[in-house]
Amino acid sequence: MSFFGFGQSVEVDILLNDADSRKRAEHKTEDGKKDKYFLFYDGETVSGKVSLALKNPNKRLEHQGIKVEFIGQIELYYDRGNHHEFVSLVKDLARPGEITQSQAFDFEFTHVEKPYESYTGQNVKLRYFLRATISRRLNDVVKETDIVVHTLSTYPELNSSIKMEVGIEDCLHIEFEYNKSKYHLKDVIVGKIYFLLVRIKIKHMEIDIIKRETTGTGPNVYHENDTIAKYEIMDGAPVRGESIPIRLFLAGYELTPTMRDINKKFSVRYYLNLVLIDEEERRYFKQQEVVLWRKGDIVRKSMSHQAAIASQRFEGTTSLGEVRTPGQLSDGNSRQ
């Protein structure tokens, strides 16, 4: 970035020390495009150089100080004027004075806490970036460089399945089962659907992956539902006693880990939505939340039995198994 002032301009750049070896990750921008950024994890050190290149070697650059910041912030699109910073670190690189030649300043932020995953959604953006600032009397010279942070999780080997009986009294009674309640982002959802009673003419059945983004609090809560995937289970009428297998590969879809109450600003949750459509185009559906998590290349498997049990209780799933009155599949589900 250049600053054109009274006879002098400067190009500012931020260079990471391990730029040649550090992995890059694709991340969606606000306009929906994908760019690659340097990838960091929680606790990693961020270090590099702030490079200042003077355009006119024979003229000096006066300044009121030079600094570099590491910032993690949340921006709500309906409140763009306010940036909510949850990480803010500053390093002063130079006291007020003047620069007579191009030079570089080293910086290091040691073992930086990066508690949340980078995220760009419908109504909110969580970003991490480095910002170098040359303070000037009239206009500051500012350069920002974004990075991407991934949060890794380790879940216990115990991972209960989801089993439910749902139906419409005297019309439809089905059981469905998913093999787990928590899936990593490259996992495979395996399940089965059993038809115990079929007295309505079902012509189509599918499973959708729904992402629900929630922003704001109190009366200013916004919900955005996005259908990430549609998986057709069957096309045609099932018969009593029929069993249909499910195998849905997650790796091909744009998913993030489940994010719950991030800095009390937003949440991202995922649901499996079982949809049945009859010959009169009436839709019956049943939603079940699942937890998605990012698996590291090296996953620690050691966990005591007590910790595993405690985690299982904390993450416990809900199982609904009652047959309801006509027009309902179960609590919280409806016929459209």
mmCIF file of all heavy atoms in Angstrom, residues 19-58:
data_model
loop_
_atom_site.group_PDB
_atom_site.id
_atom_site.type_symbol
_atom_site.label_atom_id
_atom_site.label_comp_id
_atom_site.label_asym_id
_atom_site.label_seq_id
_atom_site.Cartn_x
_atom_site.Cartn_y
_atom_site.Cartn_z
ATOM 1 N N ALA A 19 6.648 -18.343 5.538
ATOM 2 C CA ALA A 19 5.732 -18.290 4.395
ATOM 3 C C ALA A 19 6.007 -19.397 3.382
ATOM 4 O O ALA A 19 5.083 -19.908 2.741
ATOM 5 C CB ALA A 19 5.829 -16.919 3.722
ATOM 6 N N ASP A 20 7.277 -19.801 3.236
ATOM 7 C CA ASP A 20 7.612 -20.819 2.238
ATOM 8 C C ASP A 20 7.120 -22.209 2.629
ATOM 9 O O ASP A 20 6.799 -23.023 1.773
ATOM 10 C CB ASP A 20 9.133 -20.864 2.012
ATOM 11 C CG ASP A 20 9.644 -19.589 1.362
ATOM 12 O OD1 ASP A 20 8.835 -18.902 0.701
ATOM 13 O OD2 ASP A 20 10.838 -19.266 1.541
ATOM 14 N N SER A 21 7.066 -22.472 3.925
ATOM 15 C CA SER A 21 6.714 -23.819 4.379
ATOM 16 C C SER A 21 5.303 -23.927 4.960
ATOM 17 O O SER A 21 4.780 -25.033 5.097
ATOM 18 C CB SER A 21 7.724 -24.288 5.439
ATOM 19 O OG SER A 21 7.740 -23.390 6.538
ATOM 20 N N ARG A 22 4.696 -22.824 5.314
ATOM 21 C CA ARG A 22 3.388 -22.889 5.978
ATOM 22 C C ARG A 22 2.290 -23.258 4.995
ATOM 23 O O ARG A 22 2.211 -22.748 3.881
ATOM 24 C CB ARG A 22 3.054 -21.557 6.661
ATOM 25 C CG ARG A 22 1.695 -21.582 7.389
ATOM 26 C CD ARG A 22 1.569 -20.464 8.373
ATOM 27 N NE ARG A 22 2.460 -20.621 9.520
ATOM 28 C CZ ARG A 22 2.192 -21.361 10.576
ATOM 29 N NH1 ARG A 22 1.053 -22.058 10.639
ATOM 30 N NH2 ARG A 22 3.049 -21.429 11.576
ATOM 31 N N LYS A 23 1.406 -24.122 5.462
ATOM 32 C CA LYS A 23 0.284 -24.583 4.649
ATOM 33 C C LYS A 23 -0.706 -23.442 4.427
ATOM 34 O O LYS A 23 -0.896 -22.579 5.270
ATOM 35 C CB LYS A 23 -0.408 -25.747 5.365
ATOM 36 C CG LYS A 23 -1.515 -26.415 4.572
ATOM 37 C CD LYS A 23 -2.088 -27.583 5.353
ATOM 38 C CE LYS A 23 -3.242 -28.232 4.595
ATOM 39 N NZ LYS A 23 -3.831 -29.373 5.352
ATOM 40 N N ARG A 24 -1.361 -23.475 3.273
ATOM 41 C CA ARG A 24 -2.418 -22.521 2.974
ATOM 42 C C ARG A 24 -3.764 -23.241 2.944
ATOM 43 O O ARG A 24 -3.825 -24.434 2.644
ATOM 44 C CB ARG A 24 -2.182 -21.829 1.628
ATOM 45 C CG ARG A 24 -0.978 -20.888 1.621
ATOM 46 C CD ARG A 24 -0.703 -20.391 0.210
ATOM 47 N NE ARG A 24 0.428 -19.477 0.160
ATOM 48 C CZ ARG A 24 0.322 -18.162 -0.005
ATOM 49 N NH1 ARG A 24 -0.870 -17.611 -0.127
ATOM 50 N NH2 ARG A 24 1.397 -17.397 -0.057
ATOM 51 N N ALA A 25 -4.810 -22.508 3.240
ATOM 52 C CA ALA A 25 -6.159 -23.094 3.237
ATOM 53 C C ALA A 25 -7.094 -22.179 2.470
ATOM 54 O O ALA A 25 -6.994 -20.951 2.536
ATOM 55 C CB ALA A 25 -6.670 -23.286 4.666
ATOM 56 N N GLU A 26 -8.010 -22.810 1.732
ATOM 57 C CA GLU A 26 -9.028 -22.030 1.028
ATOM 58 C C GLU A 26 -10.057 -21.506 2.013
ATOM 59 O O GLU A 26 -10.447 -22.201 2.945
ATOM 60 C CB GLU A 26 -9.729 -22.889 -0.036
ATOM 61 C CG GLU A 26 -8.959 -23.019 -1.330
ATOM 62 C CD GLU A 26 -9.826 -23.588 -2.442
ATOM 63 O OE1 GLU A 26 -10.911 -24.124 -2.138
ATOM 64 O OE2 GLU A 26 -9.410 -23.509 -3.605
ATOM 65 N N HIS A 27 -10.490 -20.271 1.782
ATOM 66 C CA HIS A 27 -11.502 -19.679 2.648
ATOM 67 C C HIS A 27 -12.383 -18.766 1.817
ATOM 68 O O HIS A 27 -11.899 -18.023 0.957
ATOM 69 C CB HIS A 27 -10.840 -18.893 3.782
ATOM 70 C CG HIS A 27 -11.798 -18.445 4.838
ATOM 71 N ND1 HIS A 27 -12.378 -19.326 5.738
ATOM 72 C CD2 HIS A 27 -12.296 -17.210 5.143
ATOM 73 C CE1 HIS A 27 -13.178 -18.658 6.548
ATOM 74 N NE2 HIS A 27 -13.149 -17.374 6.216
ATOM 75 N N LYS A 28 -13.683 -18.832 2.091
ATOM 76 C CA LYS A 28 -14.645 -18.039 1.326
ATOM 77 C C LYS A 28 -14.625 -16.592 1.776
ATOM 78 O O LYS A 28 -14.571 -16.299 2.970
ATOM 79 C CB LYS A 28 -16.046 -18.630 1.499
ATOM 80 C CG LYS A 28 -17.101 -17.997 0.604
ATOM 81 C CD LYS A 28 -18.415 -18.756 0.674
ATOM 82 C CE LYS A 28 -19.067 -18.599 2.023
ATOM 83 N NZ LYS A 28 -20.425 -19.186 2.075
ATOM 84 N N THR A 29 -14.675 -15.686 0.819
ATOM 85 C CA THR A 29 -14.715 -14.266 1.112
ATOM 86 C C THR A 29 -16.174 -13.796 1.120
ATOM 87 O O THR A 29 -17.094 -14.558 0.812
ATOM 88 C CB THR A 29 -13.902 -13.468 0.078
ATOM 89 O OG1 THR A 29 -14.429 -13.729 -1.236
ATOM 90 C CG2 THR A 29 -12.435 -13.899 0.103
ATOM 91 N N GLU A 30 -16.375 -12.533 1.449
ATOM 92 C CA GLU A 30 -17.739 -11.995 1.535
ATOM 93 C C GLU A 30 -18.484 -12.082 0.214
ATOM 94 O O GLU A 30 -19.700 -12.267 0.185
ATOM 95 C CB GLU A 30 -17.696 -10.540 1.998
ATOM 96 C CG GLU A 30 -17.714 -10.360 3.499
ATOM 97 C CD GLU A 30 -17.894 -8.901 3.882
ATOM 98 O OE1 GLU A 30 -18.955 -8.328 3.576
ATOM 99 O OE2 GLU A 30 -16.964 -8.347 4.477
ATOM 100 N N ASP A 31 -17.782 -11.936 -0.897
ATOM 101 C CA ASP A 31 -18.442 -11.971 -2.200
ATOM 102 C C ASP A 31 -18.650 -13.381 -2.715
ATOM 103 O O ASP A 31 -19.077 -13.579 -3.866
ATOM 104 C CB ASP A 31 -17.651 -11.143 -3.222
ATOM 105 C CG ASP A 31 -16.199 -11.601 -3.351
ATOM 106 O OD1 ASP A 31 -15.858 -12.657 -2.774
ATOM 107 O OD2 ASP A 31 -15.413 -10.916 -4.014
ATOM 108 N N GLY A 32 -18.357 -14.386 -1.868
ATOM 109 C CA GLY A 32 -18.608 -15.773 -2.256
ATOM 110 C C GLY A 32 -17.449 -16.452 -2.952
ATOM 111 O O GLY A 32 -17.485 -17.668 -3.198
ATOM 112 N N LYS A 33 -16.405 -15.705 -3.278
ATOM 113 C CA LYS A 33 -15.241 -16.294 -3.931
ATOM 114 C C LYS A 33 -14.353 -16.986 -2.898
ATOM 115 O O LYS A 33 -14.493 -16.785 -1.701
ATOM 116 C CB LYS A 33 -14.449 -15.218 -4.666
ATOM 117 C CG LYS A 33 -15.214 -14.552 -5.799
ATOM 118 C CD LYS A 33 -14.374 -13.479 -6.466
ATOM 119 C CE LYS A 33 -15.160 -12.785 -7.576
ATOM 120 N NZ LYS A 33 -14.356 -11.705 -8.212
ATOM 121 N N LYS A 34 -13.414 -17.773 -3.398
ATOM 122 C CA LYS A 34 -12.486 -18.470 -2.506
ATOM 123 C C LYS A 34 -11.071 -18.009 -2.779
ATOM 124 O O LYS A 34 -10.630 -17.927 -3.922
ATOM 125 C CB LYS A 34 -12.577 -19.989 -2.715
ATOM 126 C CG LYS A 34 -13.821 -20.623 -2.127
ATOM 127 C CD LYS A 34 -13.751 -22.131 -2.268
ATOM 128 C CE LYS A 34 -14.950 -22.798 -1.616
ATOM 129 N NZ LYS A 34 -14.885 -24.277 -1.769
ATOM 130 N N ASP A 35 -10.362 -17.702 -1.688
ATOM 131 C CA ASP A 35 -8.943 -17.346 -1.768
ATOM 132 C C ASP A 35 -8.165 -18.241 -0.824
ATOM 133 O O ASP A 35 -8.737 -18.847 0.089
ATOM 134 C CB ASP A 35 -8.718 -15.882 -1.394
ATOM 135 C CG ASP A 35 -9.189 -14.934 -2.480
ATOM 136 O OD1 ASP A 35 -9.135 -15.329 -3.662
ATOM 137 O OD2 ASP A 35 -9.608 -13.808 -2.153
ATOM 138 N N LYS A 36 -6.869 -18.320 -1.049
ATOM 139 C CA LYS A 36 -6.008 -19.112 -0.169
ATOM 140 C C LYS A 36 -5.265 -18.191 0.792
ATOM 141 O O LYS A 36 -4.726 -17.160 0.394
ATOM 142 C CB LYS A 36 -5.023 -19.948 -0.983
ATOM 143 C CG LYS A 36 -5.663 -21.165 -1.646
ATOM 144 C CD LYS A 36 -4.613 -22.142 -2.124
ATOM 145 C CE LYS A 36 -5.259 -23.451 -2.570
ATOM 146 N NZ LYS A 36 -4.241 -24.446 -2.962
ATOM 147 N N TYR A 37 -5.244 -18.604 2.067
ATOM 148 C CA TYR A 37 -4.594 -17.837 3.115
ATOM 149 C C TYR A 37 -3.684 -18.753 3.920
ATOM 150 O O TYR A 37 -3.896 -19.971 3.961
ATOM 151 C CB TYR A 37 -5.632 -17.211 4.054
ATOM 152 C CG TYR A 37 -6.612 -16.276 3.374
ATOM 153 C CD1 TYR A 37 -7.816 -16.763 2.875
ATOM 154 C CD2 TYR A 37 -6.334 -14.923 3.239
ATOM 155 C CE1 TYR A 37 -8.722 -15.910 2.254
ATOM 156 C CE2 TYR A 37 -7.237 -14.065 2.624
ATOM 157 C CZ TYR A 37 -8.425 -14.568 2.129
ATOM 158 O OH TYR A 37 -9.313 -13.726 1.516
ATOM 159 N N PHE A 38 -2.692 -18.152 4.586
ATOM 160 C CA PHE A 38 -1.834 -18.938 5.466
ATOM 161 C C PHE A 38 -2.664 -19.477 6.625
ATOM 162 O O PHE A 38 -3.474 -18.776 7.214
ATOM 163 C CB PHE A 38 -0.670 -18.086 5.984
ATOM 164 C CG PHE A 38 0.354 -17.769 4.936
ATOM 165 C CD1 PHE A 38 0.492 -16.472 4.456
ATOM 166 C CD2 PHE A 38 1.176 -18.761 4.416
ATOM 167 C CE1 PHE A 38 1.429 -16.176 3.483
ATOM 168 C CE2 PHE A 38 2.113 -18.471 3.438
ATOM 169 C CZ PHE A 38 2.250 -17.183 2.971
ATOM 170 N N LEU A 39 -2.436 -20.758 6.952
ATOM 171 C CA LEU A 39 -3.244 -21.472 7.942
ATOM 172 C C LEU A 39 -2.511 -21.543 9.283
ATOM 173 O O LEU A 39 -1.350 -21.958 9.346
ATOM 174 C CB LEU A 39 -3.560 -22.882 7.442
ATOM 175 C CG LEU A 39 -4.316 -23.801 8.392
ATOM 176 C CD1 LEU A 39 -5.687 -23.239 8.726
ATOM 177 C CD2 LEU A 39 -4.445 -25.198 7.778
ATOM 178 N N PHE A 40 -3.218 -21.164 10.352
ATOM 179 C CA PHE A 40 -2.672 -21.216 11.708
ATOM 180 C C PHE A 40 -3.635 -21.968 12.619
ATOM 181 O O PHE A 40 -4.831 -22.120 12.309
ATOM 182 C CB PHE A 40 -2.450 -19.805 12.264
ATOM 183 C CG PHE A 40 -1.255 -19.086 11.705
ATOM 184 C CD1 PHE A 40 -1.335 -18.415 10.498
ATOM 185 C CD2 PHE A 40 -0.050 -19.083 12.392
ATOM 186 C CE1 PHE A 40 -0.232 -17.753 9.977
ATOM 187 C CE2 PHE A 40 1.060 -18.429 11.883
ATOM 188 C CZ PHE A 40 0.965 -17.762 10.678
ATOM 189 N N TYR A 41 -3.097 -22.412 13.756
ATOM 190 C CA TYR A 41 -3.895 -23.085 14.778
ATOM 191 C C TYR A 41 -3.720 -22.360 16.107
ATOM 192 O O TYR A 41 -2.804 -21.563 16.295
ATOM 193 C CB TYR A 41 -3.473 -24.558 14.905
ATOM 194 C CG TYR A 41 -3.666 -25.349 13.642
ATOM 195 C CD1 TYR A 41 -2.593 -25.609 12.788
ATOM 196 C CD2 TYR A 41 -4.925 -25.831 13.287
ATOM 197 C CE1 TYR A 41 -2.769 -26.331 11.617
ATOM 198 C CE2 TYR A 41 -5.113 -26.552 12.120
ATOM 199 C CZ TYR A 41 -4.024 -26.792 11.286
ATOM 200 O OH TYR A 41 -4.207 -27.500 10.124
ATOM 201 N N ASP A 42 -4.590 -22.659 17.033
ATOM 202 C CA ASP A 42 -4.542 -22.047 18.352
ATOM 203 C C ASP A 42 -3.193 -22.325 19.018
ATOM 204 O O ASP A 42 -2.688 -23.450 18.993
ATOM 205 C CB ASP A 42 -5.681 -22.614 19.211
ATOM 206 C CG ASP A 42 -5.739 -21.961 20.581
ATOM 207 O OD1 ASP A 42 -5.281 -20.813 20.719
ATOM 208 O OD2 ASP A 42 -6.229 -22.615 21.523
ATOM 209 N N GLY A 43 -2.604 -21.290 19.597
ATOM 210 C CA GLY A 43 -1.345 -21.452 20.323
ATOM 211 C C GLY A 43 -0.097 -21.306 19.481
ATOM 212 O O GLY A 43 1.014 -21.228 20.026
ATOM 213 N N GLU A 44 -0.229 -21.229 18.187
ATOM 214 C CA GLU A 44 0.953 -21.081 17.336
ATOM 215 C C GLU A 44 1.470 -19.640 17.374
ATOM 216 O O GLU A 44 0.706 -18.678 17.479
ATOM 217 C CB GLU A 44 0.630 -21.461 15.891
ATOM 218 C CG GLU A 44 0.586 -22.951 15.623
ATOM 219 C CD GLU A 44 0.590 -23.239 14.133
ATOM 220 O OE1 GLU A 44 -0.328 -22.781 13.438
ATOM 221 O OE2 GLU A 44 1.511 -23.920 13.670
ATOM 222 N N THR A 45 2.791 -19.517 17.253
ATOM 223 C CA THR A 45 3.434 -18.206 17.187
ATOM 224 C C THR A 45 3.274 -17.610 15.797
ATOM 225 O O THR A 45 3.368 -18.318 14.787
ATOM 226 C CB THR A 45 4.922 -18.335 17.538
ATOM 227 O OG1 THR A 45 5.044 -18.740 18.909
ATOM 228 C CG2 THR A 45 5.668 -17.027 17.329
ATOM 229 N N VAL A 46 3.007 -16.313 15.746
ATOM 230 C CA VAL A 46 2.915 -15.579 14.478
ATOM 231 C C VAL A 46 4.073 -14.586 14.447
ATOM 232 O O VAL A 46 4.151 -13.687 15.289
ATOM 233 C CB VAL A 46 1.568 -14.836 14.358
ATOM 234 C CG1 VAL A 46 1.486 -14.112 13.016
ATOM 235 C CG2 VAL A 46 0.402 -15.804 14.515
ATOM 236 N N SER A 47 4.978 -14.756 13.489
ATOM 237 C CA SER A 47 6.153 -13.893 13.432
ATOM 238 C C SER A 47 6.488 -13.554 11.984
ATOM 239 O O SER A 47 6.106 -14.261 11.054
ATOM 240 C CB SER A 47 7.368 -14.571 14.092
ATOM 241 O OG SER A 47 7.706 -15.764 13.398
ATOM 242 N N GLY A 48 7.196 -12.455 11.813
ATOM 243 C CA GLY A 48 7.572 -12.057 10.468
ATOM 244 C C GLY A 48 8.240 -10.698 10.454
ATOM 245 O O GLY A 48 8.848 -10.275 11.446
ATOM 246 N N LYS A 49 8.104 -10.013 9.329
ATOM 247 C CA LYS A 49 8.721 -8.700 9.142
ATOM 248 C C LYS A 49 7.696 -7.742 8.542
ATOM 249 O O LYS A 49 6.877 -8.133 7.714
ATOM 250 C CB LYS A 49 9.925 -8.793 8.196
ATOM 251 C CG LYS A 49 11.114 -9.550 8.741
ATOM 252 C CD LYS A 49 12.241 -9.572 7.704
ATOM 253 C CE LYS A 49 13.504 -10.188 8.276
ATOM 254 N NZ LYS A 49 13.303 -11.602 8.679
ATOM 255 N N VAL A 50 7.775 -6.486 8.972
ATOM 256 C CA VAL A 50 7.060 -5.400 8.309
ATOM 257 C C VAL A 50 8.076 -4.655 7.452
ATOM 258 O O VAL A 50 9.038 -4.081 7.968
ATOM 259 C CB VAL A 50 6.408 -4.451 9.331
ATOM 260 C CG1 VAL A 50 5.784 -3.249 8.614
ATOM 261 C CG2 VAL A 50 5.351 -5.183 10.140
ATOM 262 N N SER A 51 7.877 -4.704 6.151
ATOM 263 C CA SER A 51 8.827 -4.128 5.203
ATOM 264 C C SER A 51 8.341 -2.763 4.727
ATOM 265 O O SER A 51 7.188 -2.616 4.310
ATOM 266 C CB SER A 51 9.004 -5.071 4.005
ATOM 267 O OG SER A 51 9.777 -4.473 2.997
ATOM 268 N N LEU A 52 9.216 -1.761 4.790
ATOM 269 C CA LEU A 52 8.909 -0.417 4.307
ATOM 270 C C LEU A 52 9.838 -0.097 3.140
ATOM 271 O O LEU A 52 11.063 -0.099 3.301
ATOM 272 C CB LEU A 52 9.090 0.628 5.411
ATOM 273 C CG LEU A 52 8.389 0.364 6.754
ATOM 274 C CD1 LEU A 52 8.640 1.527 7.698
ATOM 275 C CD2 LEU A 52 6.892 0.144 6.552
ATOM 276 N N ALA A 53 9.251 0.151 1.974
ATOM 277 C CA ALA A 53 10.041 0.472 0.784
ATOM 278 C C ALA A 53 9.742 1.908 0.375
ATOM 279 O O ALA A 53 8.615 2.228 -0.033
ATOM 280 C CB ALA A 53 9.714 -0.494 -0.352
ATOM 281 N N LEU A 54 10.742 2.792 0.487
ATOM 282 C CA LEU A 54 10.570 4.194 0.109
ATOM 283 C C LEU A 54 10.640 4.328 -1.412
ATOM 284 O O LEU A 54 11.519 3.758 -2.067
ATOM 285 C CB LEU A 54 11.649 5.061 0.757
ATOM 286 C CG LEU A 54 11.665 5.092 2.296
ATOM 287 C CD1 LEU A 54 12.744 6.049 2.778
ATOM 288 C CD2 LEU A 54 10.311 5.475 2.853
ATOM 289 N N LYS A 55 9.689 5.112 -1.950
ATOM 290 C CA LYS A 55 9.650 5.291 -3.406
ATOM 291 C C LYS A 55 10.688 6.320 -3.872
ATOM 292 O O LYS A 55 11.206 6.215 -4.983
ATOM 293 C CB LYS A 55 8.244 5.744 -3.819
ATOM 294 C CG LYS A 55 7.152 4.709 -3.555
ATOM 295 C CD LYS A 55 7.379 3.452 -4.375
ATOM 296 C CE LYS A 55 6.218 2.488 -4.208
ATOM 297 N NZ LYS A 55 6.438 1.238 -4.972
ATOM 298 N N ASN A 56 10.956 7.293 -3.027
ATOM 299 C CA ASN A 56 11.919 8.339 -3.393
ATOM 300 C C ASN A 56 13.114 8.265 -2.446
ATOM 301 O O ASN A 56 13.043 8.766 -1.309
ATOM 302 C CB ASN A 56 11.273 9.729 -3.310
ATOM 303 C CG ASN A 56 10.084 9.853 -4.255
ATOM 304 O OD1 ASN A 56 10.169 9.472 -5.420
ATOM 305 N ND2 ASN A 56 8.971 10.373 -3.735
ATOM 306 N N PRO A 57 14.199 7.641 -2.860
ATOM 307 C CA PRO A 57 15.341 7.413 -1.962
ATOM 308 C C PRO A 57 15.970 8.678 -1.387
ATOM 309 O O PRO A 57 16.576 8.647 -0.331
ATOM 310 C CB PRO A 57 16.348 6.679 -2.869
ATOM 311 C CG PRO A 57 15.534 6.142 -4.010
ATOM 312 C CD PRO A 57 14.421 7.092 -4.211
ATOM 313 N N ASN A 58 15.818 9.810 -2.071
ATOM 314 C CA ASN A 58 16.490 11.027 -1.631
ATOM 315 C C ASN A 58 15.663 11.855 -0.650
ATOM 316 O O ASN A 58 16.097 12.932 -0.223
ATOM 317 C CB ASN A 58 16.839 11.899 -2.849
ATOM 318 C CG ASN A 58 17.808 11.195 -3.791
ATOM 319 O OD1 ASN A 58 18.688 10.457 -3.326
ATOM 320 N ND2 ASN A 58 17.629 11.400 -5.082
#
